[in-house]
Amino acid sequence: MSAILPPSDRLWWKQPIDKVEWAWIGIAFVWGMIMFVMMVYWHIYGKQNLSNEAYKTTPEMFAAKAEKFIAENTVRSETDLNGQQIPVVKVPAGGDGFLIARLWNWYPILELEKGQTYKIHLSSMDYNHGFSLQPVNINIQVIPGYEHVVKMTPTKEGTYAIVCNEYCGIGHHSMLGRIYVK
């Protein structure tokens, strides 16, 4: 029998399954069961899945909370890739930080302390965006109308890049943000 030509016997599906085929079916089934058990193991012990919370909100409500946070905690401002001034906001140790995703930037720049635990609140003002923190590889889809709360404890000092990994339009390639850890 050829993969290109039709089978010579029109009722080929009534032929008994060969021993080699049964072996491969068995191997595939056993491997599927192993991977199913490993998913549970990886979720509990692998520390790969991000535990976060999500709440319904409106862009206006989230923007008001974020602007209040920014007004109370701004330490300086910097120029972004587009030449606009963007505030650098120091998140209080153990406190809540707010990050807005909108066409085509992350607002504001957050400044965190190494070893402190923070709750970072994320929401989109317009379209779906992807929050990808590099090189840590935290990935979250940021959706308008939802406030995502991510707990994070920075363990290394440095500058971390925030990349939008969900295509959001013509300026998607320039949608970059930063988090400083001191």
Side-chain angles (χ1 to χ4, degrees):
M1 181 162 55
S2 167
I4 297 173
L5 300 174
S8 57
D9 185 3
R10 300 284 295 166
L11 301 175
W12 59 269
W13 60 87
K14 291 188 176 182
Q15 297 297 321
I17 297 175
D18 191 61
K19 292 177 187 175
V20 174
E21 289 176 305
W22 276 119
W24 281 110
I25 290 170
I27 290 169
F29 179 77
V30 168
W31 184 249
M33 292 295 102
I34 290 170
M35 294 306 290
F36 178 78
V37 171
M38 290 305 292
M39 284 190 319
V40 176
Y41 174 79
W42 287 325
H43 180 74
I44 296 169
Y45 300 108
K47 297 182 183 177
Q48 292 181 355
N49 295 329
L50 190 62
S51 296
N52 64 342
E53 306 166 18
Y55 304 100
K56 282 282 261 179
T57 188
T58 64
E60 296 78 22
M61 286 174 44
F62 187 81
K65 289 194 288 188
E67 291 298 336
K68 181 176 184 243
F69 162 75
I70 293 165
E72 292 172 354
N73 299 292
T74 298
V75 291
R76 66 184 180 282
S77 66
E78 292 183 5
T79 305
D80 69 1
L81 295 174
N82 301 321
Q84 298 175 337
Q85 290 294 312
I86 187 163
V88 177
V89 181
K90 183 168 179 55
V91 182
D96 295 313
F98 291 82
L99 196 57
I100 296 174
R102 61 184 176 202
L103 292 180
W104 286 283
N105 70 359
W106 293 96
Y107 182 84
I109 298 171
L110 300 180
E111 188 173 276
L112 310 174
E113 288 180 35
K114 177 182 164 187
Q116 298 292 326
T117 300
Y118 298 94
K119 283 185 174 182
I120 306 301
H121 300 252
L122 306 162
S123 189
S124 172
M125 298 294 111
D126 41 37
Y127 300 112
N128 286 356
H129 294 285
F131 174 85
S132 177
L133 188 62
Q134 298 299 323
V136 181
N137 200 22
I138 293 175
N139 291 295
I140 296 174
Q141 188 170 14
V142 183
I143 303 168
Y146 288 92
E147 179 177 340
H148 302 274
V149 183
V150 180
K151 278 188 180 177
M152 59 175 71
T153 306
T155 57
K156 282 195 226 174
E157 293 181 0
T159 301
Y160 294 84
I162 303 170
V163 178
C164 179
N165 59 7
E166 184 74 32
Y167 182 73
C168 57
I170 197 161
H172 168 71
H173 66 282
S174 66
M175 188 167 173
L176 303 169
R178 285 171 279 180
I179 293 180
Y180 298 127
V181 177
K182 301 203 175 210

Short mmCIF file of all heavy atoms in Angstrom, two decimals, residues 45-111:
data_model
loop_
_atom_site.label_atom_id
_atom_site.label_comp_id
_atom_site.label_asym_id
_atom_site.label_seq_id
_atom_site.Cartn_x
_atom_site.Cartn_y
_atom_site.Cartn_z
N TYR A 45 5.30 21.39 41.91
CA TYR A 45 6.69 21.46 42.34
C TYR A 45 7.63 22.16 41.36
O TYR A 45 8.76 22.46 41.72
CB TYR A 45 7.23 20.04 42.59
CG TYR A 45 6.47 19.31 43.66
CD1 TYR A 45 5.61 18.28 43.34
CD2 TYR A 45 6.58 19.68 44.99
CE1 TYR A 45 4.89 17.62 44.31
CE2 TYR A 45 5.86 19.03 45.97
CZ TYR A 45 5.02 17.99 45.62
OH TYR A 45 4.30 17.34 46.59
N GLY A 46 7.21 22.39 40.16
CA GLY A 46 8.10 22.92 39.14
C GLY A 46 8.33 24.42 39.19
O GLY A 46 9.21 24.94 38.55
N LYS A 47 7.50 25.16 39.92
CA LYS A 47 7.60 26.61 40.01
C LYS A 47 7.62 27.24 38.62
O LYS A 47 8.30 28.24 38.39
CB LYS A 47 8.84 27.03 40.81
CG LYS A 47 8.78 26.57 42.24
CD LYS A 47 9.99 27.03 43.01
CE LYS A 47 9.91 26.47 44.42
NZ LYS A 47 11.06 26.81 45.21
N GLN A 48 6.89 26.64 37.68
CA GLN A 48 6.83 27.18 36.33
C GLN A 48 5.57 27.99 36.11
O GLN A 48 5.55 28.86 35.26
CB GLN A 48 6.86 26.05 35.31
CG GLN A 48 8.17 25.33 35.27
CD GLN A 48 8.15 24.24 34.22
OE1 GLN A 48 7.14 23.98 33.60
NE2 GLN A 48 9.27 23.60 34.01
N ASN A 49 4.54 27.69 36.84
CA ASN A 49 3.27 28.37 36.62
C ASN A 49 3.16 29.56 37.55
O ASN A 49 3.36 29.45 38.75
CB ASN A 49 2.10 27.41 36.85
CG ASN A 49 2.09 26.32 35.84
OD1 ASN A 49 2.50 26.51 34.72
ND2 ASN A 49 1.63 25.15 36.23
N LEU A 50 2.84 30.69 36.99
CA LEU A 50 2.73 31.91 37.73
C LEU A 50 1.37 31.94 38.43
O LEU A 50 0.34 31.79 37.79
CB LEU A 50 2.85 33.08 36.75
CG LEU A 50 2.98 34.44 37.32
CD1 LEU A 50 4.25 34.53 38.16
CD2 LEU A 50 3.05 35.45 36.20
N SER A 51 1.40 32.12 39.72
CA SER A 51 0.15 32.26 40.46
C SER A 51 -0.21 33.74 40.47
O SER A 51 0.53 34.55 41.00
CB SER A 51 0.31 31.74 41.89
OG SER A 51 0.58 30.36 41.86
N ASN A 52 -1.30 34.06 39.87
CA ASN A 52 -1.73 35.46 39.85
C ASN A 52 -3.22 35.54 40.06
O ASN A 52 -3.93 34.55 40.03
CB ASN A 52 -1.30 36.15 38.55
CG ASN A 52 -1.95 35.57 37.33
OD1 ASN A 52 -2.45 34.46 37.34
ND2 ASN A 52 -1.93 36.32 36.26
N GLU A 53 -3.67 36.75 40.28
CA GLU A 53 -5.09 37.02 40.49
C GLU A 53 -5.56 37.90 39.34
O GLU A 53 -4.77 38.63 38.76
CB GLU A 53 -5.29 37.77 41.80
CG GLU A 53 -4.68 37.10 43.01
CD GLU A 53 -4.60 38.03 44.22
OE1 GLU A 53 -5.30 39.06 44.25
OE2 GLU A 53 -3.82 37.73 45.12
N ALA A 54 -6.85 37.86 39.06
CA ALA A 54 -7.41 38.74 38.04
C ALA A 54 -8.78 39.20 38.51
O ALA A 54 -9.54 38.43 39.10
CB ALA A 54 -7.54 38.02 36.71
N TYR A 55 -9.04 40.49 38.29
CA TYR A 55 -10.31 41.09 38.70
C TYR A 55 -10.91 41.87 37.54
O TYR A 55 -10.18 42.42 36.72
CB TYR A 55 -10.09 42.06 39.87
CG TYR A 55 -9.42 41.42 41.06
CD1 TYR A 55 -8.05 41.60 41.28
CD2 TYR A 55 -10.13 40.63 41.94
CE1 TYR A 55 -7.43 41.01 42.37
CE2 TYR A 55 -9.51 40.03 43.02
CZ TYR A 55 -8.16 40.23 43.23
OH TYR A 55 -7.54 39.64 44.29
N LYS A 56 -12.22 41.93 37.48
CA LYS A 56 -12.90 42.75 36.48
C LYS A 56 -12.72 44.21 36.87
O LYS A 56 -12.77 44.56 38.05
CB LYS A 56 -14.40 42.45 36.44
CG LYS A 56 -14.79 41.20 35.70
CD LYS A 56 -14.79 41.35 34.24
CE LYS A 56 -16.12 41.59 33.61
NZ LYS A 56 -15.93 41.74 32.17
N THR A 57 -12.49 45.05 35.88
CA THR A 57 -12.35 46.48 36.10
C THR A 57 -12.73 47.19 34.81
O THR A 57 -13.08 46.54 33.83
CB THR A 57 -10.91 46.85 36.54
OG1 THR A 57 -10.89 48.23 36.91
CG2 THR A 57 -9.90 46.59 35.46
N THR A 58 -12.64 48.48 34.82
CA THR A 58 -12.80 49.25 33.59
C THR A 58 -11.50 50.00 33.36
O THR A 58 -10.77 50.28 34.32
CB THR A 58 -13.97 50.26 33.68
OG1 THR A 58 -13.64 51.22 34.69
CG2 THR A 58 -15.28 49.57 34.00
N PRO A 59 -11.19 50.33 32.12
CA PRO A 59 -9.97 51.10 31.88
C PRO A 59 -9.93 52.41 32.67
O PRO A 59 -8.89 52.81 33.17
CB PRO A 59 -10.00 51.35 30.37
CG PRO A 59 -10.77 50.19 29.82
CD PRO A 59 -11.82 49.91 30.85
N GLU A 60 -11.07 53.06 32.81
CA GLU A 60 -11.12 54.32 33.56
C GLU A 60 -10.79 54.13 35.04
O GLU A 60 -10.04 54.92 35.63
CB GLU A 60 -12.50 54.98 33.42
CG GLU A 60 -12.87 55.39 32.02
CD GLU A 60 -13.33 54.23 31.13
OE1 GLU A 60 -13.75 53.19 31.66
OE2 GLU A 60 -13.24 54.38 29.89
N MET A 61 -11.35 53.09 35.65
CA MET A 61 -11.08 52.82 37.08
C MET A 61 -9.61 52.47 37.29
O MET A 61 -8.97 52.95 38.24
CB MET A 61 -11.98 51.68 37.59
CG MET A 61 -13.42 52.08 37.80
SD MET A 61 -14.52 50.71 38.24
CE MET A 61 -13.63 49.79 39.44
N PHE A 62 -9.07 51.62 36.42
CA PHE A 62 -7.67 51.23 36.57
C PHE A 62 -6.75 52.42 36.34
O PHE A 62 -5.78 52.61 37.07
CB PHE A 62 -7.31 50.08 35.62
CG PHE A 62 -5.94 49.55 35.88
CD1 PHE A 62 -5.72 48.64 36.90
CD2 PHE A 62 -4.85 49.97 35.13
CE1 PHE A 62 -4.44 48.15 37.16
CE2 PHE A 62 -3.57 49.50 35.38
CZ PHE A 62 -3.37 48.58 36.41
N ALA A 63 -7.05 53.23 35.34
CA ALA A 63 -6.21 54.40 35.05
C ALA A 63 -6.22 55.36 36.23
O ALA A 63 -5.18 55.94 36.57
CB ALA A 63 -6.68 55.09 33.78
N ALA A 64 -7.36 55.53 36.88
CA ALA A 64 -7.43 56.43 38.04
C ALA A 64 -6.55 55.91 39.18
O ALA A 64 -5.83 56.69 39.81
CB ALA A 64 -8.89 56.56 38.49
N LYS A 65 -6.61 54.59 39.45
CA LYS A 65 -5.75 54.02 40.51
C LYS A 65 -4.28 54.16 40.15
O LYS A 65 -3.46 54.50 41.00
CB LYS A 65 -6.09 52.54 40.73
CG LYS A 65 -7.42 52.30 41.41
CD LYS A 65 -7.56 50.88 41.92
CE LYS A 65 -7.74 49.88 40.82
NZ LYS A 65 -8.07 48.53 41.31
N ALA A 66 -3.96 53.90 38.89
CA ALA A 66 -2.56 53.98 38.45
C ALA A 66 -2.05 55.42 38.52
O ALA A 66 -0.93 55.65 38.99
CB ALA A 66 -2.42 53.43 37.03
N GLU A 67 -2.83 56.39 38.07
CA GLU A 67 -2.41 57.79 38.11
C GLU A 67 -2.21 58.27 39.54
O GLU A 67 -1.27 59.02 39.82
CB GLU A 67 -3.40 58.68 37.37
CG GLU A 67 -3.41 58.47 35.86
CD GLU A 67 -2.08 58.79 35.19
OE1 GLU A 67 -1.28 59.57 35.73
OE2 GLU A 67 -1.83 58.22 34.11
N LYS A 68 -3.06 57.82 40.45
CA LYS A 68 -2.90 58.17 41.87
C LYS A 68 -1.59 57.58 42.40
O LYS A 68 -0.81 58.27 43.08
CB LYS A 68 -4.08 57.65 42.68
CG LYS A 68 -4.02 57.98 44.14
CD LYS A 68 -5.27 57.52 44.87
CE LYS A 68 -5.19 57.97 46.31
NZ LYS A 68 -5.16 56.93 47.26
N PHE A 69 -1.33 56.33 42.08
CA PHE A 69 -0.08 55.67 42.49
C PHE A 69 1.13 56.41 41.92
O PHE A 69 2.11 56.66 42.62
CB PHE A 69 -0.11 54.21 42.01
CG PHE A 69 1.24 53.55 41.97
CD1 PHE A 69 1.87 53.16 43.13
CD2 PHE A 69 1.88 53.33 40.75
CE1 PHE A 69 3.12 52.55 43.09
CE2 PHE A 69 3.11 52.72 40.71
CZ PHE A 69 3.74 52.34 41.88
N ILE A 70 1.07 56.78 40.65
CA ILE A 70 2.18 57.47 39.99
C ILE A 70 2.41 58.84 40.63
O ILE A 70 3.56 59.22 40.91
CB ILE A 70 1.92 57.59 38.47
CG1 ILE A 70 1.96 56.20 37.83
CG2 ILE A 70 2.92 58.53 37.80
CD1 ILE A 70 1.37 56.14 36.44
N ALA A 71 1.34 59.59 40.90
CA ALA A 71 1.47 60.92 41.50
C ALA A 71 2.11 60.84 42.89
O ALA A 71 2.88 61.73 43.27
CB ALA A 71 0.10 61.58 41.58
N GLU A 72 1.81 59.80 43.64
CA GLU A 72 2.31 59.68 45.01
C GLU A 72 3.74 59.14 45.09
O GLU A 72 4.42 59.36 46.09
CB GLU A 72 1.40 58.76 45.83
CG GLU A 72 0.02 59.34 46.08
CD GLU A 72 -0.92 58.33 46.74
OE1 GLU A 72 -0.54 57.14 46.88
OE2 GLU A 72 -2.04 58.73 47.07
N ASN A 73 4.23 58.41 44.06
CA ASN A 73 5.50 57.69 44.18
C ASN A 73 6.54 57.99 43.12
O ASN A 73 7.56 57.31 43.06
CB ASN A 73 5.21 56.18 44.19
CG ASN A 73 4.33 55.78 45.35
OD1 ASN A 73 4.74 55.83 46.49
ND2 ASN A 73 3.09 55.39 45.05
N THR A 74 6.34 59.00 42.28
CA THR A 74 7.31 59.31 41.23
C THR A 74 8.59 59.85 41.85
O THR A 74 8.56 60.73 42.70
CB THR A 74 6.73 60.33 40.24
OG1 THR A 74 5.58 59.75 39.62
CG2 THR A 74 7.73 60.71 39.17
N VAL A 75 9.74 59.32 41.40
CA VAL A 75 11.03 59.79 41.91
C VAL A 75 11.80 60.59 40.85
O VAL A 75 12.64 61.42 41.20
CB VAL A 75 11.90 58.61 42.41
CG1 VAL A 75 11.30 58.02 43.67
CG2 VAL A 75 12.08 57.53 41.36
N ARG A 76 11.56 60.37 39.58
CA ARG A 76 12.21 61.10 38.50
C ARG A 76 11.50 60.73 37.20
O ARG A 76 10.56 59.94 37.20
CB ARG A 76 13.70 60.78 38.42
CG ARG A 76 14.02 59.34 38.02
CD ARG A 76 15.52 59.05 38.03
NE ARG A 76 15.80 57.69 37.66
CZ ARG A 76 15.67 56.62 38.43
NH1 ARG A 76 15.24 56.76 39.67
NH2 ARG A 76 15.96 55.42 37.97
N SER A 77 11.95 61.31 36.11
CA SER A 77 11.39 60.91 34.81
C SER A 77 12.55 60.65 33.85
O SER A 77 13.65 61.16 34.03
CB SER A 77 10.46 61.98 34.25
OG SER A 77 11.17 63.15 33.95
N GLU A 78 12.28 59.83 32.83
CA GLU A 78 13.26 59.48 31.81
C GLU A 78 12.60 59.61 30.45
O GLU A 78 11.38 59.62 30.33
CB GLU A 78 13.75 58.04 32.00
CG GLU A 78 14.57 57.83 33.25
CD GLU A 78 15.11 56.42 33.38
OE1 GLU A 78 14.93 55.62 32.44
OE2 GLU A 78 15.71 56.14 34.42
N THR A 79 13.43 59.65 29.43
CA THR A 79 12.93 59.73 28.06
C THR A 79 12.85 58.32 27.49
O THR A 79 13.80 57.55 27.60
CB THR A 79 13.88 60.59 27.20
OG1 THR A 79 14.03 61.85 27.82
CG2 THR A 79 13.31 60.78 25.80
N ASP A 80 11.72 57.99 26.90
CA ASP A 80 11.58 56.65 26.30
C ASP A 80 12.07 56.67 24.85
O ASP A 80 12.60 57.67 24.37
CB ASP A 80 10.14 56.14 26.42
CG ASP A 80 9.15 56.90 25.55
OD1 ASP A 80 9.56 57.82 24.82
OD2 ASP A 80 7.96 56.56 25.60
N LEU A 81 11.89 55.55 24.14
CA LEU A 81 12.37 55.42 22.76
C LEU A 81 11.73 56.42 21.80
O LEU A 81 12.30 56.76 20.77
CB LEU A 81 12.13 54.00 22.26
CG LEU A 81 12.90 52.90 22.96
CD1 LEU A 81 12.44 51.55 22.46
CD2 LEU A 81 14.39 53.06 22.75
N ASN A 82 10.52 56.86 22.13
CA ASN A 82 9.80 57.78 21.26
C ASN A 82 10.06 59.25 21.62
O ASN A 82 9.42 60.14 21.08
CB ASN A 82 8.30 57.50 21.31
CG ASN A 82 7.98 56.09 20.88
OD1 ASN A 82 8.59 55.57 19.96
ND2 ASN A 82 7.04 55.46 21.55
N GLY A 83 10.96 59.49 22.58
CA GLY A 83 11.29 60.86 22.97
C GLY A 83 10.33 61.47 23.98
O GLY A 83 10.40 62.65 24.26
N GLN A 84 9.43 60.67 24.52
CA GLN A 84 8.46 61.17 25.50
C GLN A 84 9.01 60.98 26.91
O GLN A 84 9.71 60.02 27.20
CB GLN A 84 7.13 60.43 25.36
CG GLN A 84 6.47 60.60 24.03
CD GLN A 84 5.21 59.75 23.90
OE1 GLN A 84 5.06 58.75 24.59
NE2 GLN A 84 4.32 60.14 23.01
N GLN A 85 8.64 61.91 27.79
CA GLN A 85 9.01 61.77 29.19
C GLN A 85 8.08 60.76 29.86
O GLN A 85 6.87 60.82 29.68
CB GLN A 85 8.90 63.12 29.92
CG GLN A 85 9.96 64.11 29.51
CD GLN A 85 11.36 63.64 29.92
OE1 GLN A 85 11.56 63.24 31.05
NE2 GLN A 85 12.29 63.69 28.99
N ILE A 86 8.67 59.83 30.60
CA ILE A 86 7.90 58.80 31.28
C ILE A 86 8.38 58.75 32.73
O ILE A 86 9.58 58.75 32.98
CB ILE A 86 8.01 57.44 30.56
CG1 ILE A 86 7.07 56.41 31.17
CG2 ILE A 86 9.42 56.94 30.52
CD1 ILE A 86 6.83 55.20 30.30
N PRO A 87 7.46 58.73 33.69
CA PRO A 87 7.89 58.76 35.09
C PRO A 87 8.51 57.43 35.54
O PRO A 87 8.10 56.36 35.08
CB PRO A 87 6.60 59.04 35.86
CG PRO A 87 5.49 58.65 34.95
CD PRO A 87 6.01 58.79 33.55
N VAL A 88 9.50 57.54 36.43
CA VAL A 88 10.06 56.37 37.10
C VAL A 88 9.46 56.39 38.50
O VAL A 88 9.59 57.37 39.23
CB VAL A 88 11.60 56.43 37.17
CG1 VAL A 88 12.14 55.24 37.94
CG2 VAL A 88 12.19 56.50 35.77
N VAL A 89 8.78 55.31 38.85
CA VAL A 89 8.01 55.25 40.08
C VAL A 89 8.59 54.19 41.00
O VAL A 89 8.74 53.04 40.60
CB VAL A 89 6.52 54.93 39.78
CG1 VAL A 89 5.71 54.90 41.05
CG2 VAL A 89 5.96 55.96 38.81
N LYS A 90 8.93 54.60 42.23
CA LYS A 90 9.46 53.66 43.21
C LYS A 90 8.29 53.03 43.94
O LYS A 90 7.51 53.71 44.60
CB LYS A 90 10.37 54.37 44.20
CG LYS A 90 11.01 53.43 45.20
CD LYS A 90 12.11 54.14 45.95
CE LYS A 90 12.78 53.28 46.99
NZ LYS A 90 13.31 52.03 46.51
N VAL A 91 8.17 51.73 43.79
CA VAL A 91 7.08 50.99 44.44
C VAL A 91 7.46 50.80 45.91
O VAL A 91 8.57 50.35 46.20
CB VAL A 91 6.84 49.63 43.75
CG1 VAL A 91 5.68 48.90 44.40
CG2 VAL A 91 6.59 49.82 42.26
N PRO A 92 6.58 51.15 46.86
CA PRO A 92 6.91 50.94 48.27
C PRO A 92 7.19 49.47 48.56
O PRO A 92 6.52 48.58 48.02
CB PRO A 92 5.65 51.40 49.01
CG PRO A 92 4.89 52.23 48.03
CD PRO A 92 5.27 51.75 46.67
N ALA A 93 8.20 49.21 49.39
CA ALA A 93 8.58 47.82 49.71
C ALA A 93 7.38 47.06 50.24
O ALA A 93 6.69 47.50 51.16
CB ALA A 93 9.70 47.82 50.74
N GLY A 94 7.12 45.92 49.63
CA GLY A 94 5.98 45.10 50.02
C GLY A 94 4.64 45.65 49.56
O GLY A 94 3.59 45.14 49.93
N GLY A 95 4.67 46.69 48.73
CA GLY A 95 3.44 47.35 48.32
C GLY A 95 2.96 46.95 46.95
O GLY A 95 3.42 45.98 46.34
N ASP A 96 2.03 47.74 46.45
CA ASP A 96 1.40 47.52 45.16
C ASP A 96 1.96 48.51 44.13
O ASP A 96 2.09 49.69 44.43
CB ASP A 96 -0.11 47.69 45.25
CG ASP A 96 -0.76 46.66 46.14
OD1 ASP A 96 -0.43 45.48 45.97
OD2 ASP A 96 -1.60 47.02 46.99
N GLY A 97 2.26 47.99 42.94
CA GLY A 97 2.68 48.83 41.83
C GLY A 97 1.70 48.67 40.69
O GLY A 97 1.10 47.61 40.52
N PHE A 98 1.52 49.72 39.91
CA PHE A 98 0.57 49.70 38.81
C PHE A 98 1.29 49.95 37.50
O PHE A 98 2.12 50.84 37.40
CB PHE A 98 -0.51 50.76 39.02
CG PHE A 98 -1.42 50.44 40.17
CD1 PHE A 98 -1.06 50.73 41.47
CD2 PHE A 98 -2.64 49.82 39.95
CE1 PHE A 98 -1.88 50.42 42.53
CE2 PHE A 98 -3.48 49.50 41.00
CZ PHE A 98 -3.10 49.80 42.29
N LEU A 99 0.95 49.14 36.48
CA LEU A 99 1.57 49.24 35.18
C LEU A 99 0.47 49.21 34.12
O LEU A 99 -0.35 48.28 34.09
CB LEU A 99 2.53 48.07 34.99
CG LEU A 99 3.54 48.14 33.88
CD1 LEU A 99 4.42 49.39 34.01
CD2 LEU A 99 4.41 46.91 33.90
N ILE A 100 0.45 50.24 33.29
CA ILE A 100 -0.58 50.39 32.26
C ILE A 100 -0.01 49.97 30.91
O ILE A 100 1.07 50.41 30.52
CB ILE A 100 -1.07 51.84 32.18
CG1 ILE A 100 -1.75 52.26 33.48
CG2 ILE A 100 -1.99 52.04 30.99
CD1 ILE A 100 -2.13 53.73 33.54
N ALA A 101 -0.74 49.13 30.19
CA ALA A 101 -0.40 48.78 28.81
C ALA A 101 -1.34 49.55 27.90
O ALA A 101 -2.56 49.52 28.10
CB ALA A 101 -0.58 47.28 28.60
N ARG A 102 -0.76 50.26 26.96
CA ARG A 102 -1.57 51.01 25.99
C ARG A 102 -0.75 51.18 24.72
O ARG A 102 0.45 51.00 24.72
CB ARG A 102 -2.01 52.35 26.56
CG ARG A 102 -0.86 53.26 26.92
CD ARG A 102 -1.35 54.53 27.55
NE ARG A 102 -0.21 55.34 27.96
CZ ARG A 102 -0.25 56.25 28.87
NH1 ARG A 102 -1.38 56.50 29.49
NH2 ARG A 102 0.81 56.95 29.17
N LEU A 103 -1.45 51.54 23.64
CA LEU A 103 -0.75 51.70 22.36
C LEU A 103 0.33 52.76 22.52
O LEU A 103 0.01 53.89 22.79
CB LEU A 103 -1.71 52.11 21.25
CG LEU A 103 -2.73 51.06 20.82
CD1 LEU A 103 -3.59 51.61 19.71
CD2 LEU A 103 -2.09 49.77 20.40
N TRP A 104 1.47 52.57 22.30
CA TRP A 104 2.33 51.43 22.20
C TRP A 104 3.42 51.59 23.24
O TRP A 104 4.58 51.71 22.94
CB TRP A 104 2.93 51.32 20.79
CG TRP A 104 1.91 50.86 19.79
CD1 TRP A 104 1.48 49.58 19.64
CD2 TRP A 104 1.20 51.63 18.84
NE1 TRP A 104 0.56 49.51 18.63
CE2 TRP A 104 0.36 50.77 18.13
CE3 TRP A 104 1.18 52.98 18.52
CZ2 TRP A 104 -0.50 51.21 17.12
CZ3 TRP A 104 0.33 53.41 17.52
CH2 TRP A 104 -0.50 52.52 16.83
N ASN A 105 3.03 51.61 24.50
CA ASN A 105 4.02 51.71 25.56
C ASN A 105 3.51 51.11 26.87
O ASN A 105 2.32 50.84 27.02
CB ASN A 105 4.48 53.16 25.78
CG ASN A 105 3.41 54.04 26.38
OD1 ASN A 105 2.30 53.61 26.65
ND2 ASN A 105 3.74 55.29 26.59
N TRP A 106 4.45 50.89 27.76
CA TRP A 106 4.15 50.48 29.13
C TRP A 106 4.38 51.72 29.99
O TRP A 106 5.39 52.39 29.86
CB TRP A 106 5.09 49.35 29.57
CG TRP A 106 4.85 48.10 28.82
CD1 TRP A 106 5.52 47.66 27.73
CD2 TRP A 106 3.85 47.12 29.10
NE1 TRP A 106 5.00 46.46 27.30
CE2 TRP A 106 3.97 46.11 28.14
CE3 TRP A 106 2.87 46.99 30.07
CZ2 TRP A 106 3.16 44.99 28.11
CZ3 TRP A 106 2.06 45.88 30.05
CH2 TRP A 106 2.21 44.89 29.08
N TYR A 107 3.45 52.00 30.86
CA TYR A 107 3.50 53.24 31.63
C TYR A 107 3.20 52.94 33.08
O TYR A 107 2.19 52.30 33.36
CB TYR A 107 2.46 54.20 31.06
CG TYR A 107 2.40 55.55 31.71
CD1 TYR A 107 3.27 56.55 31.32
CD2 TYR A 107 1.47 55.83 32.69
CE1 TYR A 107 3.21 57.80 31.89
CE2 TYR A 107 1.40 57.07 33.27
CZ TYR A 107 2.27 58.06 32.87
OH TYR A 107 2.21 59.30 33.44
N PRO A 108 4.00 53.32 34.01
CA PRO A 108 5.29 54.00 33.99
C PRO A 108 6.43 52.99 34.05
O PRO A 108 6.22 51.80 33.90
CB PRO A 108 5.25 54.81 35.28
CG PRO A 108 4.53 53.90 36.24
CD PRO A 108 3.48 53.20 35.39
N ILE A 109 7.65 53.48 34.33
CA ILE A 109 8.80 52.61 34.62
C ILE A 109 8.77 52.37 36.12
O ILE A 109 8.61 53.31 36.91
CB ILE A 109 10.12 53.29 34.21
CG1 ILE A 109 10.15 53.55 32.71
CG2 ILE A 109 11.31 52.44 34.65
CD1 ILE A 109 11.31 54.41 32.25
N LEU A 110 8.87 51.10 36.52
CA LEU A 110 8.84 50.76 37.95
C LEU A 110 10.25 50.57 38.49
O LEU A 110 11.13 50.09 37.79
CB LEU A 110 8.02 49.49 38.18
CG LEU A 110 6.56 49.54 37.75
CD1 LEU A 110 5.88 48.21 38.03
CD2 LEU A 110 5.81 50.67 38.44
N GLU A 111 10.44 50.95 39.76
CA GLU A 111 11.70 50.75 40.45
C GLU A 111 11.42 49.92 41.70
O GLU A 111 10.61 50.32 42.54
CB GLU A 111 12.32 52.10 40.82
CG GLU A 111 13.71 52.01 41.36
CD GLU A 111 14.33 53.39 41.55
OE1 GLU A 111 14.87 53.93 40.56
OE2 GLU A 111 14.26 53.90 42.67
#
